[in-house]
Amino acid sequence: MEQTKIMAKLASLCVYCGSSTSVRPVYLEAAAELGQRAARRGIRIVFGGGRVGLMGAVADAALEAGGKVHGIIPRHLDDYEIGHRGTTELEIVESMHVRKMRMFEESDAFCILPGGFGTLDETFEMVTWVQLGLHEKPIVLVNVEGFWDPLLELVHHQIAENFVRPEHSGIIRVVDRVEQVFDAVAEVPDSRISPSAKWA
């Protein structure tokens, strides 16, 4: 039987998502819904600090619903990703490494929406840290209209080929709809093992 542990009250949710504006509306709608729902629950959004794409959609929706939003963006991307000056707080940092660490430090859990290489980079750093026992914060992936199906197939392939332990498949909780995110965050499987045994 899968063991679960109930998480303490969620105060800040980190959202990893794309900054592209040339995407299907359904993805932008999911981001906006997440921002709205978080704000209504009194949960602060922590995100990459951009004003465009899904990043902008989640931030704008949370702000419009009266929520708090903390953006964290590297100085060299402030112009490229169009730093969001309307956030409750916009933190400009010196590097991508600092950005990821600050997002980790400011968050109680992580939610992954559709995105590109950067979203994958951020997500799998947090997944690996759980695998290594460096943190226990929940990670929830929203599989909007099957966007992440190919990625999930890859993870299953990694498990089948013994590069990932089967119990580590539970590190990422997968939901189909934004409305399921907060219940998924509240109940997280304990999928860690001793780092010394992770390659066995």
Side-chain angles (χ1 to χ4, degrees), residues 1 7 36 64 70 75 103 116 138 140-141 165 174 180 182-183 186:
M1 179 180 292
M7 186 188 169
Q36 292 169 353
E64 289 171 8
H70 183 169
R75 192 174 305 280
M103 291 173 77
V140 178
L141 183 148
R165 298 179 71 93
V174 181
Q180 300 170 312
F182 301 99
D183 286 340

Side-chain angles (χ1 to χ4, degrees), residues 1-144:
M1 179 180 292
E2 182 181 74
Q3 293 184 341
T4 60
K5 54 188 174 184
I6 303 303
M7 186 188 169
K9 177 174 167 49
L10 175 66
S12 294
L13 178 67
C14 180
V15 181
Y16 295 143
C17 58
S19 60
S20 174
T21 57
S22 303
V23 298
R24 290 199 287 144
V26 66
Y27 302 137
L28 296 167
E29 291 164 4
E33 181 183 351
L34 180 64
Q36 292 169 353
R37 287 181 179 273
R40 290 170 185 162
R41 289 170 175 259
I43 297 169
R44 181 184 64 154
I45 292 291
V46 177
F47 80 120
R51 188 168 57 83
V52 293
L54 275 68
M55 283 201 291
V58 69
D60 289 342
L63 291 165
E64 289 171 8
K68 294 182 179 179
V69 177
H70 183 169
I72 303 173
I73 191 167
R75 192 174 305 280
H76 73 279
L77 287 182
D78 190 23
D79 293 332
Y80 184 74
E81 290 184 349
I82 313 177
H84 199 312
R85 264 48 187 187
T87 55
T88 312
E89 180 178 357
L90 181 64
E91 183 177 346
I92 299 176
V93 297
E94 294 304 318
S95 71
M96 293 291 287
H97 295 295
V98 175
R99 176 202 227 179
K100 289 191 290 183
M101 179 57 74
R102 288 292 298 129
M103 291 173 77
F104 169 78
E105 292 170 343
E106 290 292 327
S107 305
D108 301 315
F110 305 91
C111 179
I112 298 94
L113 294 173
F117 291 154
T119 301
L120 290 172
D121 170 51
E122 293 166 328
T123 298
F124 278 97
E125 182 163 17
M126 292 302 104
V127 169
T128 302
W129 287 7
V130 174
Q131 185 185 45
L132 295 174
L134 300 178
H135 79 87
E136 298 180 347
K137 299 179 182 182
I139 301 170
V140 178
L141 183 148
V142 188
N143 194 21
V144 181

Side-chain angles (χ1 to χ4, degrees), residues 172-186:
I172 304 174
R173 294 297 295 268
V174 181
V175 300
D176 296 320
R177 300 185 305 277
V178 169
E179 65 192 55
Q180 300 170 312
V181 167
F182 301 99
D183 286 340
V185 165

